[in-house]
Amino acid sequence: MDIKILQGIISLIIILILAPLFAGLVNKQKAILTGRVGAPILQPYYELIKLIKKETINASSSSFISRVSPIINLTSLIIAAAILPVGFWKPLISFNGDIILFAYILGLARFFQILAAMDIGSSFEGMGASREATFALFAEPIFFFTIGSISFLSGYTSIYDIYHSIQLTNISYEVFIVICSISVFMLAVTECSRMPIDDPNTHLELTMIHEVMILDNSGIDLFLYQYSSYIKLFIYAILEISFFYPFSQQSYILGIIIFITGSLALSFTLGVVETITSRYKMKNIPQYLLFATAIGILNLLIYTFTK
Amino acid sequence: MFGLFIFILLPLFSAVICYFIKNLKIQYGISLLVAILHLSLSLFVFLGIYHIQLPTFFSIDSLSKFFLLILSNVYFWTVLVSNSYLKRPVIPKAEGGKKYYYMLLNFYLTSNSAAMLSDHFGMYWVAAEATTLSVAPLIYFYRNEEALEAMWKYLFLVSIGIAFAFIGILFLTLSAKGTTLEGKQLFFWEFIRNAKQLNPIWIKASFIFIFVGLSTKIGIAPMHSGDIDATSNAPSPIAALMSGSLRLTALIGVMRIFQIIRQTSSYEFARTLLVIGGLLSLFAAFVYMFKVNNFKRMLAYSSVEHLGLILLSVGIGGLAFVGAMYHTVYNSITKIVLFLMAGNIHRHYKSREIDKVNSALNIIPKTSWLFLIAYLAISGIPPFGIFFSEIKIFEGILFSDKPYVLGFVMFFLLFIFVNMGKAIFTMLYKNGDNQINHSAERFEITHLNAIILLILLIIISVVSPDILYVNIINITKDFGLNL
Amino acid sequence: MENVLSILFCLSLFYVAVTWRVKAYVTVLRFQGLILAVLLMIPFIYHFSIFGIILPFTLLLVKVFLIPRYINKIILDLDVKRRIEPTIQQMFFLLLVIVSMIIIFLVSNIISQKTPLDVIPFASGFSAIIVGIYIIMFRKKLIIHVCGFLILENGIFLFSSAVASEFPMMIEIGILLDVFVVVFLMGIALNKISSTFEGFEVTHLGRLKD
């Protein structure tokens, strides 16, 4: 087999295995910051294993969508994970223009999740679905303006090529990258339903957004949904960390060290942000997202006009 | 250096002295002395008896000589009246404000002289901003709610306007990039001499910004609201000062940039803008006069009208320009009389509304007669000066390339005259219920001022001294208009 | 280096457009003052001169210390309610700011092909002027109007550094002093307004209409 395909498969497996670990890290950080001992770091794995053993029940008013959607979710996320570069290896799926595929595969996953939520027939899930759809609408431009501005700058359209062309040479480029990473952080917070957009621990009906969509699922369906949400969080974490990779030097040791420290730092930041901020009012969230878009647009403007 | 000292530094010193001395009479004496010195020196400079040398950033040419003389004149008569004015009773909160009055007046003189004499756009800007700062606390003299609101509006709107003018000045430097003027630091004469090399887009943008920004200070529509509120709520000597001289300080800025733009290809654009601005102001005054109910506000709108007429004539050029220069002098003098008399009426009737003022001619005859004569003067009745200047303006407009403007001007002026007359005759002749017990009127210094000023007005307009004519012709030569 | 500082300046403008707190305006003013002072000190890193360091130092003093402290004192004295009540919906304001910024950048790019100027500080300065005007138009509290005016002045300053006009130092200091005294007078006026009227919103100032 070609070494590149092997490398691609290994990176995909790494992402799939390490995803729940990252979520566990974030939860542990949150617990430590609030003064509790908290669940062990490997807790997400135990939860997933527990869910496999449980029985799957579907609502009597649901159709085939509810049975199909969890699988589509996981599949789309695996495909998205396959597009992402981990370290210096070329990912499994990489071609010109795969940013669009990346964004819209994630969009497909969300689309089916929303459909499944509405399919159950309860107004609870419908409310969550409508909120999720609105915020996703505002979050989409952030991705395109941020990653798009880097792609505009470097001239490539494949995620792997874009990240590889980031060279931290002069200071304005560094500031640019830092600002982009802030923007992607805000995007990550939105897409993965973290504070200050959505509280993953709340189960009050007025305040849930993402949790409410999977409220009525159990067993294998819930396993698939939970696992896909962990993978999604990890994907965005890698997107964020890869901004700071020294792609110009091909040193594996340095890469692994940066990967580990980056994940730790990012989970710490996420934990801090989640602990400190409270959830924004629903009507202020579009403005928060527009702010992230504005940062992206500003970057685009400035760097097109200095070229 | 002597010139700089008398014109600019001496009032500054006296402002500082007035801050420390508590006795109002001594402050009055010092300010009056400074005013007399200022007036005599500017008169000598104007008549050509004395030539002064000024350091960098300042220079003197025919336009600044002329406007400086008007400034000194208005300031002198205002200070003369101030002593008796400050003796009038005011609400107790305002007593505390009296001790700042002379300090601010002197500071006003400094900043205005600096602005008139300045040679450099940056210095002009700093001085113009300083004049706003010196006038704003004076507007708040009465310490009531309307005065407060007027001061806030004036300070805020004029500061924003002057910030816009600063943007215009920056555009001016931008227009000089790549030419020999680069790095020459915005001196007027450098720019005027080399105006043909300036970039036309930036000159146009610069003119728009400076004109719009300074029009808040001149009081031209559509940015006249701050100025109107301030003039109608300020005490009458201050209102006279503002109408007579503050507007001219802003006008000199517009005229300087107009002088520069005259030599470039954007000349027609600038002329059109000035004409439009003038017509809009006349229109604004025309509309207001139909529903006038506050006589001080009416006088403020009359200032808007006359400054609009001046700006219009500057834009038209030719004989109208000469008329505009005469008009500035006559307008300032007449406005002093009008505002002082209005102040007297306000004091007697304790209200600024026209409905509350009845049969003034019987109750306060001296003030009313002078007010009536001043109204006739400002409307253009001979032998008062405005008649002569308006004749020149009309003739100039008629023989220019925009004769249709004359129709509008005359239409507006006619209705303004009619409505103002209606208001004033109501105040003077209408018999109301005589419930207010009026004391007999005494002959005060305001009346003496008014009489002297009216006689001065007649003398200047009828005798038309040669030196004035020669100076104005020099100004028109500077502006390149051949008669 | 100027580009980086201008980007940070624009980010602060976005923050001003989004925030609901009154004290955030003062923080933004401090931040912008700091950026401007650093911008002025850049040419002096290489050849240090005592004469040239006076202006950035005064700028720092006035814009970062004196004026924000004075405004904070006013906010404290007048017990201004700490929350802004805007006149249009908050999100549209940000959208308006973004659209204006895009237009300004495009226009300055077009202009810079005819006249040589630094595009980014020019466009940032101009957008600060526009944002200052929007704040004055669309906000109700008077102290916010004063902050909007100061943002306008900051924009003019940035703009003038882009245009690279050689203003003599005296004039620059004169400009700074003028701004400071204007703010001082506005503060006094606001003090008096708060003690005569009940609130200090623009809607209360309506007595002097025709």
Side-chain angles (χ1 to χ4, degrees):
Chain A
M1 249 199 303
D2 204 1
I3 185 77
K4 289 228 170 9
I5 299 186
L6 196 58
Q7 284 176 344
I9 294 183
I10 294 183
S11 8
L12 184 61
I13 294 181
I14 291 180
I15 293 183
L16 292 181
I17 294 184
L18 288 183
L21 185 63
F22 188 75
L25 259 178
V26 176
N27 285 337
K28 187 77 174 172
Q29 304 274 17
K30 275 167 67 173
I32 294 179
L33 282 170
T34 49
R36 302 178 276 130
V37 175
I41 296 185
L42 298 178
Q43 183 65 15
Y45 291 107
Y46 300 142
E47 290 209 6
L48 289 176
I49 296 176
K50 168 187 83 170
L51 283 173
I52 295 181
K53 299 182 194 154
K54 298 235 168 163
E55 177 192 358
T56 309
I57 299 184
N58 280 323
S60 52
S61 54
S62 61
S63 64
F64 72 98
I65 300 253
S66 298
R67 303 181 228 313
V68 158
S69 149
I71 306 226
I72 295 187
N73 237 348
L74 188 64
T75 330
S76 333
L77 274 159
I78 294 182
I79 298 180
I83 305 181
L84 212 57
V86 178
F88 311 107
W89 289 342
K90 202 170 162 81
L92 206 52
I93 306 176
S94 170
F95 52 90
N96 268 343
D98 62 15
I99 319 177
I100 315 264
L101 180 66
F102 183 75
Y104 287 111
I105 277 284
L106 291 174
L108 186 74
R110 187 171 43 233
F111 174 66
F112 269 98
Q113 206 166 18
I114 293 179
L115 270 189
M118 293 203 305
D119 185 50
I120 296 182
S122 148
S123 55
F124 239 1
E125 281 84 357
M127 171 192 82
S130 78
R131 286 175 181 172
E132 174 84 16
T134 315
F135 298 148
L137 177 75
F138 286 103
E140 188 174 319
I142 305 180
F143 179 76
F144 280 113
F145 275 115
T146 316
I147 307 282
S149 62
I150 316 182
S151 115
F152 201 84
L153 199 61
S154 58
Y156 297 112
T157 44
S158 160
I159 288 195
Y160 170 71
D161 293 328
I162 291 175
Y163 277 102
H164 264 259
S165 68
I166 294 178
Q167 283 136 7
L168 305 175
T169 43
N170 55 345
I171 186 165
S172 47
Y173 206 81
E174 286 173 9
V175 171
F176 175 60
I177 292 295
V178 166
I179 294 180
C180 275
S181 62
I182 297 179
S183 206
V184 171
F185 185 78
M186 290 166 102
L187 178 68
V189 157
T190 314
E191 289 265 347
C192 309
S193 312
R194 296 265 150 194
M195 300 274 244
I197 304 285
D198 174 22
D199 190 353
N201 292 333
T202 181
H203 283 91
L204 303 170
E205 64 187 60
L206 283 179
T207 55
M208 291 193 280
I209 301 179
H210 177 83
E211 293 292 314
V212 73
M213 292 197 293
I214 54 179
L215 203 61
D216 267 346
N217 295 307
S218 54
I220 302 276
D221 289 346
L222 192 57
F223 159 74
L224 291 170
Y225 276 131
Q226 287 280 52
Y227 193 38
S228 6
S229 76
Y230 293 148
I231 297 180
K232 203 166 176 185
L233 182 61
F234 198 50
I235 286 179
Y236 277 103
I238 291 186
L239 263 184
E240 181 86 15
I241 299 172
S242 305
F243 273 121
F244 300 106
Y245 250 67
F247 277 108
S248 42
Q249 298 139 300
Q250 290 268 342
S251 148
Y252 282 127
I253 307 285
L254 195 59
I256 293 182
I257 294 180
I258 289 197
F259 188 72
I260 296 181
T261 35
S263 329
L264 284 175
L266 192 62
S267 65
F268 182 69
T269 319
L270 202 55
V272 166
V273 167
E274 286 219 354
T275 315
I276 293 182
T277 59
S278 59
R279 236 267 306 263
Y280 281 162
K281 277 193 195 177
M282 294 266 186
K283 65 179 165 112
N284 289 343
I285 293 182
Q287 172 196 308
Y288 173 79
L289 295 172
L290 203 57
F291 184 63
T293 320
I295 297 180
I297 295 182
L298 184 68
N299 266 332
L300 189 64
L301 278 178
I302 291 188
Y303 283 94
T304 39
F305 292 131
T306 43
K307 263 309 202 164
Chain B
M1 270 314 280
F2 181 64
L4 180 75
F5 179 69
I6 294 280
F7 281 139
I8 298 178
L9 292 178
L10 185 61
L12 190 62
F13 288 151
S14 67
V16 173
I17 295 175
C18 286
Y19 179 66
F20 288 114
I21 297 184
K22 302 297 178 201
N23 190 346
L24 278 178
K25 277 214 187 331
I26 300 183
Q27 288 184 7
Y28 172 62
I30 295 179
S31 313
L32 196 58
L33 189 63
V34 169
I36 292 177
L37 280 173
H38 201 269
L39 180 60
S40 19
L41 189 60
S42 53
L43 198 60
F44 288 154
V45 168
F46 184 72
L47 295 174
I49 300 176
Y50 189 79
H51 293 280
I52 55 173
Q53 293 291 334
L54 293 169
T56 52
F57 297 137
F58 298 109
S59 77
I60 198 151
D61 72 326
S62 16
L63 188 62
S64 30
K65 266 196 273 194
F66 185 53
F67 277 5
L68 193 66
L69 183 62
I70 301 178
L71 167 71
S72 307
N73 188 31
V74 172
Y75 183 74
F76 170 68
W77 294 110
T78 309
V79 172
L80 198 59
V81 155
S82 298
N83 191 31
S84 87
Y85 193 76
L86 284 182
K87 287 203 194 119
R88 295 183 187 183
V90 285
I91 66 176
K93 219 166 43 152
E95 290 287 334
K98 285 189 184 173
K99 55 180 187 280
Y100 295 119
Y101 184 83
Y102 285 108
M103 175 183 90
L104 288 168
L105 266 188
N106 281 307
F107 190 57
Y108 175 88
L109 185 63
T110 308
S111 39
N112 264 321
S113 313
M116 298 277 191
L117 288 174
S118 78
D119 192 21
H120 184 266
F121 271 110
M123 172 55 90
Y124 172 75
W125 189 84
V126 171
E129 181 81 37
T131 62
T132 315
L133 300 175
S134 62
V135 164
L138 285 171
I139 298 175
Y140 185 46
F141 184 72
Y142 286 128
R143 302 278 195 272
N144 58 9
E145 293 177 342
E146 279 112 0
L148 185 57
E149 187 181 331
M151 169 175 127
W152 170 261
K153 265 188 170 171
Y154 182 75
L155 189 61
F156 204 70
L157 286 174
V158 173
S159 298
I160 295 181
I162 294 207
F164 264 78
F166 191 67
I167 301 177
I169 294 178
L170 286 177
F171 279 156
L172 198 61
T173 39
L174 203 57
S175 72
K177 258 198 179 179
T179 69
T180 54
L181 283 169
E182 195 163 358
K184 281 271 179 64
Q185 294 183 9
L186 293 180
F187 286 103
F188 288 150
W189 285 105
E190 303 281 342
F191 267 79
I192 292 176
R193 240 177 283 148
N194 298 323
K196 289 201 185 34
Q197 304 171 11
L198 296 173
N199 193 342
I201 311 175
W202 291 115
I203 273 282
K204 278 203 185 91
S206 160
F207 184 75
I208 295 178
F209 271 92
I210 292 186
F211 179 56
V212 167
L214 284 178
S215 72
T216 50
K217 210 164 160 63
I218 305 181
I220 300 282
M223 253 68 81
H224 57 287
S225 61
D227 205 43
I228 297 281
D229 288 338
T231 317
S232 60
N233 283 307
S236 20
I238 304 300
L241 198 62
M242 280 174 67
S243 283
S245 56
L246 197 57
R247 297 167 198 261
L248 295 181
T249 311
L251 187 64
I252 207 175
V254 175
M255 289 183 77
R256 291 291 184 206
I257 184 87
F258 188 64
Q259 222 175 338
I260 294 177
I261 206 173
R262 183 189 59 78
Q263 323 215 17
T264 67
S265 50
S266 322
Y267 182 48
E268 288 303 316
F269 173 75
R271 282 185 68 199
T272 323
L273 261 183
L274 285 178
V275 169
I276 293 178
L279 278 179
L280 272 178
S281 321
L282 283 171
F283 182 66
F286 164 74
V287 165
Y288 175 73
M289 290 299 180
F290 279 105
K291 51 183 181 83
V292 55
N293 53 9
N294 176 340
F295 57 86
K296 265 199 169 161
R297 212 171 168 84
M298 175 180 79
L299 293 177
Y301 268 100
S302 163
S303 278
V304 169
E305 164 207 346
H306 285 284
L307 261 297
L309 195 59
I310 292 175
L311 217 58
L312 183 92
S313 331
V314 166
I316 296 273
L319 192 55
F321 187 86
V322 177
M325 292 294 112
Y326 278 106
H327 201 87
T328 51
V329 181
Y330 300 145
N331 179 48
S332 343
I333 297 181
T334 324
K335 277 284 158 21
I336 305 178
V337 180
L338 276 172
F339 273 108
L340 289 180
M341 293 302 113
N344 276 346
I345 297 179
H346 180 209
R347 184 185 53 167
H348 266 277
Y349 288 90
K350 308 225 181 337
S351 154
R352 289 197 185 109
E353 296 189 24
I354 293 185
D355 302 330
K356 302 261 169 48
V357 176
N358 307 316
S359 64
L361 212 51
N362 292 331
I363 299 182
I364 35 172
K366 302 184 189 66
T367 307
S368 316
W369 272 110
L370 287 168
F371 194 56
L372 183 61
I373 297 175
Y375 158 68
L376 293 176
I378 198 89
S379 307
I381 307 284
F384 298 105
I386 299 227
F387 172 71
F388 299 103
S389 60
E390 280 190 356
I391 286 271
K392 288 195 185 69
I393 291 178
F394 292 160
E395 195 178 328
I397 300 180
L398 193 60
F399 289 120
S400 71
D401 53 346
K402 295 181 178 38
Y404 47 88
V405 167
L406 186 59
F408 286 114
V409 168
M410 287 183 125
F411 180 71
F412 291 144
L413 284 181
L414 173 69
F415 278 99
I416 292 174
F417 169 65
V418 166
N419 282 317
M420 237 172 109
K422 192 170 83 162
I424 292 188
F425 287 135
T426 316
M427 287 198 318
L428 295 182
Y429 287 103
K430 191 175 85 163
N431 281 323
D433 356 302
N434 281 332
Q435 287 175 353
I436 314 174
N437 193 12
H438 297 282
S439 48
E441 193 191 15
R442 295 177 296 148
F443 186 76
E444 293 182 336
I445 197 162
T446 44
H447 300 126
L448 182 65
N449 261 7
I451 293 178
I452 298 180
L453 278 171
L454 286 172
I455 295 177
L456 186 67
L457 188 64
I458 298 180
I459 292 177
I460 296 182
S461 50
V462 169
V463 170
S464 186
D466 244 354
I467 186 70
L468 183 64
Y469 181 68
V470 165
N471 203 343
I472 293 187
I473 293 294
N474 280 340
I475 298 179
T476 51
K477 282 217 194 79
D478 284 339
F479 275 73
L481 302 157
N482 309 315
L483 293 173
Chain C
M1 194 57 188
E2 287 98 10
N3 289 350
V4 173
L5 292 172
S6 314
I7 300 174
L8 294 176
F9 199 83
C10 289
L11 283 181
S12 69
L13 288 179
F14 281 140
Y15 184 59
V16 156
V18 190
T19 182
W20 289 92
R21 295 184 303 146
V22 174
K23 280 238 170 123
Y25 277 82
V26 180
T27 322
V28 164
L29 281 174
R30 271 195 230 253
F31 182 62
Q32 289 183 345
L34 199 62
I35 291 182
L36 287 177
V38 170
L39 197 68
L40 278 181
M41 287 207 243
I42 291 178
F44 297 113
I45 297 180
Y46 296 120
H47 33 268
F48 186 81
S49 70
I50 294 289
F51 193 63
I53 211 80
I54 296 182
L55 180 62
F57 190 67
T58 352
L59 187 76
L60 196 72
L61 193 66
V62 171
K63 280 201 196 277
V64 176
F65 292 116
L66 290 180
I67 292 186
R69 267 174 65 171
Y70 186 65
I71 296 188
N72 267 334
K73 191 166 89 79
I74 295 180
I75 294 179
L76 211 59
D77 282 344
L78 303 187
D79 197 26
V80 176
K81 283 210 278 282
R82 302 306 166 92
R83 186 184 157 78
I84 299 185
E85 288 140 52
T87 53
I88 61 170
Q89 202 181 357
Q90 192 77 319
M91 195 179 77
F92 289 139
F93 191 73
L94 184 60
L95 208 54
L96 189 65
V97 168
I98 292 177
V99 169
S100 324
M101 222 183 245
I102 293 178
I103 295 178
I104 291 173
F105 268 89
L106 284 173
V107 166
S108 28
N109 196 33
I110 296 177
I111 291 182
S112 75
Q113 276 144 15
K114 306 253 185 74
T115 326
L117 39 79
D118 311 332
V119 179
I120 308 251
F122 181 84
S124 309
F126 211 77
S127 22
I129 293 173
I130 298 284
V131 169
I133 295 177
Y134 284 154
I135 292 177
I136 295 178
M137 286 206 294
F138 290 123
R139 296 276 185 249
K140 280 197 207 157
K141 287 200 184 309
L142 291 180
I143 195 75
I144 302 295
H145 282 194
V146 176
C147 293
F149 176 71
L150 285 169
I151 292 181
L152 192 128
E153 290 277 341
N154 280 346
I156 294 182
F157 212 89
L158 188 61
F159 191 69
S160 78
S161 80
V163 164
S165 56
E166 284 104 53
F167 273 131
M169 204 184 57
M170 283 278 106
I171 304 281
E172 296 263 1
I173 293 193
I175 295 172
L176 265 181
L177 226 61
D178 270 336
V179 173
F180 180 60
V181 178
V182 165
V183 173
F184 190 67
L185 276 181
M186 286 187 188
I188 296 182
L190 278 179
N191 241 323
K192 299 286 166 40
I193 287 182
S194 81
S195 55
T196 8
F197 301 112
E198 303 87 43
F200 9 80
E201 307 201 342
V202 192
T203 42
H204 292 200
L205 295 181
R207 281 154 214 275
L208 294 183
K209 295 256 191 290
D210 270 338

